[in-house]
Amino acid sequence: MADETVVGIRPEDIFIDRNNTMYVLVHDTWRIQMWSANSKTPMTITLDYWHIYDELFVSLDGSIYISNINEGIVEKRSRNGTKSAVVMKFGGMCYALSVDINNYLYCSLSNRYQVVKQSLDGIANMSIIVAGTGIKGRASDMLAAPSGIFVDINLDLYVADYGNNRIQLFKAGQLNGTTVAGVDSTPSIALYNPTAVFLDADGYSFIVDTFNYRIIGSRSNGFFCVVGCSHVIGSASDQLDMPDSAAFDSYGNIYVTDTFNDRIQKFNLLTNISGK
């Protein structure tokens, strides 16, 4: 869909809002590229040079939240790029962001082996631990370098547990997780450093299986490969090189940050004759 000449070097994170506006955080050129629906020319939001920006999330009101790893903060910006506030100070490396239906901001603290949340409504400035003990491990209440997160409408939290090669589900209010993808899941599937997890409209999970260079999905009868099914690194149209994140648009198409190929890849939803 977009190569280095358009998107820039090392696209890291992608977000698509309900209007099909696509936001791409570009690591090595300190900017966010923003495409409105059906537009081929992006608007550019310039970020502060020499900072490491790793993740973004766009809320329903259009506010853009960005993880600034250098300063250990989450910044809030408007669509025109204006920096309006620091909304969270996390004192670690925040490798994923999400905002739930109650307006809580979630941050995946990779080097602290935890996921925390904090209200955006000014109710309290205290972070609340929602997953992880702060000690690296494989127990049901532990994480190892957590990466991508997804919070659904039931406030259930999905975590790409990068260092444990699994996806953990933490039901709302519970600190003990269940492995829903990985060698300990039923059915099992071998993952290699997953960096992102996201759900479709039917509640099925999709995973960026980074070091297997593929995207996989789930169905009622188990897992299946969506993209990169040869497991071979490459730059062909059906291959990926260190994919980092992915997102659905409203039509069910998947967009992937194919990071080391310096491109965004779009994979169209295919339906059968009955439309399924």
Side-chain angles (χ1 to χ4, degrees), residues 16-267:
I16 300 176
D17 68 19
R18 60 175 54 189
N19 297 315
N20 288 322
T21 299
M22 181 171 69
Y23 304 76
V24 177
L25 178 62
V26 187
H27 184 280
D28 284 4
T29 49
W30 300 280
R31 61 182 175 177
I32 296 170
Q33 299 281 66
M34 184 173 65
W35 285 263
S36 298
N38 302 317
S39 173
K40 294 183 179 180
T41 303
M43 170 187 167
T44 298
I45 297 174
T46 302
L47 304 175
D48 298 331
Y49 284 105
W50 309 120
H51 286 242
I52 299 176
Y53 295 95
D54 199 77
E55 298 292 326
L56 63 79
F57 188 94
V58 183
S59 60
L60 292 177
D61 66 1
S63 298
I64 303 171
Y65 297 93
I66 316 168
S67 168
N68 181 333
I69 291 178
N70 290 77
E71 297 186 9
I73 60 175
V74 177
E75 301 175 3
K76 179 181 177 181
R77 294 185 181 238
S78 64
R79 282 172 60 99
N80 65 11
T82 302
K83 187 193 301 184
S84 59
V86 172
V87 295
M88 180 185 280
K89 296 182 179 180
F90 45 81
M93 294 185 290
C94 181
Y95 276 112
L97 298 171
S98 188
V99 177
D100 70 18
I101 59 172
N102 292 331
N103 211 30
Y104 275 83
L105 175 68
Y106 292 66
C107 176
S108 179
L109 296 173
S110 182
N111 63 335
R112 285 170 47 184
Y113 317 115
Q114 291 179 322
V115 179
V116 299
K117 71 176 183 180
Q118 182 175 308
S119 174
L120 291 170
D121 293 329
I123 298 172
N125 292 321
M126 295 285 293
S127 294
I128 301 168
I129 297 170
V130 292
T133 63
I135 299 172
K136 181 179 180 180
R138 284 191 60 84
S140 63
D141 62 344
M142 302 174 82
L143 298 167
S147 187
I149 54 178
F150 187 94
V151 184
D152 68 16
I153 60 173
N154 299 313
L155 303 181
D156 295 335
L157 170 68
Y158 294 78
V159 181
D161 193 8
Y162 180 94
N164 282 323
N165 299 314
R166 66 186 183 181
I167 304 298
Q168 290 291 91
L169 167 60
F170 295 87
K171 303 293 286 186
Q174 297 185 12
L175 293 176
N176 284 306
T178 301
T179 303
V180 294
V183 293
D184 297 325
S185 65
T186 304
S188 66
I189 184 170
L191 302 177
Y192 190 3
N193 295 148
T195 54
V197 56
F198 55 111
L199 270 58
D200 68 11
D202 296 316
Y204 289 109
S205 59
F206 288 74
I207 302 162
V208 180
D209 192 13
T210 299
F211 277 82
N212 279 324
Y213 317 113
R214 64 179 180 171
I215 310 295
I216 60 172
S218 67
R219 282 292 179 263
S220 57
N221 59 349
F223 298 97
F224 67 101
C225 183
V226 180
V227 180
C229 302
S230 67
H231 294 208
V232 177
I233 193 171
S235 58
S237 62
D238 62 344
Q239 293 178 314
L240 300 169
D241 186 353
M242 301 301 289
D244 191 81
S245 64
F248 283 111
D249 66 14
S250 64
Y251 303 105
N253 306 311
I254 295 178
Y255 295 74
V256 182
T257 55
D258 191 11
T259 302
F260 279 22
N261 278 324
D262 299 322
R263 66 185 184 181
I264 303 297
Q265 290 289 82
K266 177 184 178 182
F267 299 94

